[in-house]
């Protein structure tokens, strides 16, 4: 990608433990370059020992679990709930991921969106917003990229850091608590931005996409992974819920329990394809591509996940799921079905 401009010179405190490839850190409130220092008397060994001060607006930022906390002061209710939900329930998400990551559906569509970064040469700097447990970012580092992993939940981000260090990629990654709608980075800092299943959790997705556009270098790539299609919320989910309620009524057996989903996820409906394209355009992206991600394989994956939580064993139908993944790739080529996949993977590029 010759079109991507060269890294700008970055000033840094000589004693900063941030890696030399790290982007400039800006105030998430006013956009001014933050002064990096350390609390008095403390030894500077890791990024978590740092404090970040804004000389312009007076905001200062500390750390949680040894992770620099660059979320703007006064997070709204939804964000505060997301932060605590994903921290308090981190064990649950670790358990779920240990089964998900072997599923043919999960593997196929995660590989598909990660492939969208193929044009970036090794050594590119990629930002992940909402990195969760850190598995997708890990794959990008294995290809030789540098990763700034951000999340709003300290519990999830700490797990991502553990995973990356365990895999020997601690030096290729930097972990910061940040809000996707108010990114603490200078303009044109990254060659790529990745957001997996996180855009629909945000109250202002357009603001988050504008931020992604701002921090990308000219020619930089934004990849969205597995964003839900709003179409499901209007059809399959209400029909499915009505069916299950009828079954519960007839049999007296409770099937639907309290689902382990965050408040934001309960409200979120995802995006119609046209909505996503409009959001990309309004955020400044003039090139984008939507890729259908799953039909029958997605339905089977989510059905198995739902049932496994109510059965005394994990229901896995991997050979069937693998067959459906192949069939789904064909279904996604039919003009009639292109607009109604379960999920979207998407690609957008900032003008060179
Ligand atoms: Zn400031």
């Amino acid at each position: 990608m010759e079109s991507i401009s060269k890294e700008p010179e970055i000033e840094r405190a000589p004693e900063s433990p941030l890696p030399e490839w790290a982007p400039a850190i800006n105030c998430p409130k006013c956009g001014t370059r933050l002064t990096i220092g350390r609390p008095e008397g403390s030894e500077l060994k890791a990024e978590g020992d740092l404090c970040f001060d804004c000389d312009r607006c007076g905001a200062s930022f500390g750390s949680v679990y040894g992770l620099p906390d660059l979320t703007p002061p006064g997070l709204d209710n939804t964000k505060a709930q997301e932060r605590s939900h994903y921290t308090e329930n981190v064990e649950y998400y670790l358990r779920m991921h240990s089964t998900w990551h072997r599923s043919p559906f999960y593997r196929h569509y995660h590989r598909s969106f990660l492939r969208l970064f193929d044009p970036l040469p090794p050594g590119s700097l990629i930002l992940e917003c909402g990195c969760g447990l850190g598995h997708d970012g890990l794959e990008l580092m294995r290809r030789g990229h540098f990763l700034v992993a951000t999340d709003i939940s300290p519990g999830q981000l700490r797990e991502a850091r553990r995973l990356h260090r365990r895999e020997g990629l601690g030096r290729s990654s930097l972990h910061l608590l940040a809000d996707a709608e108010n990114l603490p980075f200078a303009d044109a800092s990254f060659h790529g931005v990745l957001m997996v299943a996180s855009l629909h959790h945000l109250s202002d997705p357009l603001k988050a996409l504008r931020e992604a556009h701002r921090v990308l270098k000219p020619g930089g790539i934004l990849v969205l992974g597995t964003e839900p299609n709003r179409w499901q919320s209007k059809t399959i989910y209400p029909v499915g819920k009505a069916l299950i309620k009828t079954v519960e009524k007839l049999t007296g057996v409770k099937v639907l329990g309290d689902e382990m989903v965050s408040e934001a996820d309960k409200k979120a409906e995802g995006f119609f394809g046209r909505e996503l394209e409009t959001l990309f355009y309004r955020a400044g992206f003039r090139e984008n591509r939507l890729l259908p991600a799953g039909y029958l394989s997605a339905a089977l994956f989510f059905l198995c996940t739902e049932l496994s939580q109510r059965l005394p064993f994990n229901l896995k139908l991997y050979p069937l799921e693998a067959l459906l993944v192949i069939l789904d790739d064909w279904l996604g080529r039919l003009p009639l079905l292109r607009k109604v996949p379960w999920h979207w993977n998407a690609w957008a590029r900032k003008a060179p």
Side-chain angles (χ1 to χ4, degrees), residues 110-144:
H110 279 247
R111 269 201 302 263
S112 309
F113 67 70
L114 289 172
R115 259 204 304 270
L116 297 169
F117 284 116
D118 281 356
L120 297 183
S124 296
L125 181 55
I126 298 181
L127 167 69
E128 184 171 10
C129 296
C131 70
L133 301 170
H135 291 88
D136 297 308
L138 177 66
E139 291 305 316
L140 292 173
M141 285 189 283
R142 283 177 174 155
R143 298 169 181 198

Side-chain angles (χ1 to χ4, degrees), residues 19 21 125 141 144-148 168-175:
W21 52 261
L125 181 55
M141 285 189 283
H145 298 311
F146 295 106
L147 178 75
V148 177
L169 289 159
R171 282 170 184 270
S172 300
S173 52
L174 178 64
H175 302 84

Side-chain angles (χ1 to χ4, degrees), residues 62-216:
S63 64
V64 182
Y65 297 162
L67 299 156
D69 185 359
L70 295 157
T71 52
L75 286 179
D76 67 35
N77 238 347
T78 311
K79 285 175 185 163
Q81 278 171 346
E82 287 288 286
R83 191 174 165 99
S84 59
H85 171 88
Y86 284 98
T87 296
E88 284 160 17
N89 299 303
V90 68
E91 291 299 329
Y92 165 83
Y93 288 103
L94 282 167
R95 213 166 47 241
M96 293 311 286
H97 187 269
S98 68
T99 61
W100 290 339
H101 85 284
R102 279 192 289 271
S103 134
F105 162 77
Y106 180 97
R107 292 170 73 94
H108 179 76
Y109 290 107
H110 279 247
R111 269 201 302 263
S112 309
F113 67 70
L114 289 172
R115 259 204 304 270
L116 297 169
F117 284 116
D118 281 356
L120 297 183
S124 296
L125 181 55
I126 298 181
L127 167 69
E128 184 171 10
C129 296
C131 70
L133 301 170
H135 291 88
D136 297 308
L138 177 66
E139 291 305 316
L140 292 173
M141 285 189 283
R142 283 177 174 155
R143 298 169 181 198
H145 298 311
F146 295 106
L147 178 75
V148 177
T150 65
D151 203 282
I152 204 158
S153 154
Q156 300 274 321
L157 192 62
R158 179 168 62 175
E159 289 304 325
R161 185 177 59 185
R162 270 187 194 145
L163 173 73
H164 298 157
R165 287 181 177 171
R166 201 165 59 228
E167 296 294 319
L169 289 159
R171 282 170 184 270
S172 300
S173 52
L174 178 64
H175 302 84
L176 305 171
L177 289 161
D179 169 18
E181 291 173 16
N182 300 280
L183 291 174
F185 306 108
D187 298 358
S189 292
F190 298 94
H191 302 100
V193 173
L194 174 64
M195 298 180 81
V196 182
S198 54
L199 192 70
H200 67 284
H201 289 233
L202 298 167
S203 35
D204 193 346
L206 176 59
K207 194 174 177 199
L209 292 180
R210 281 188 172 137
E211 279 292 84
H213 187 267
R214 179 182 69 76
V215 302
L216 276 171

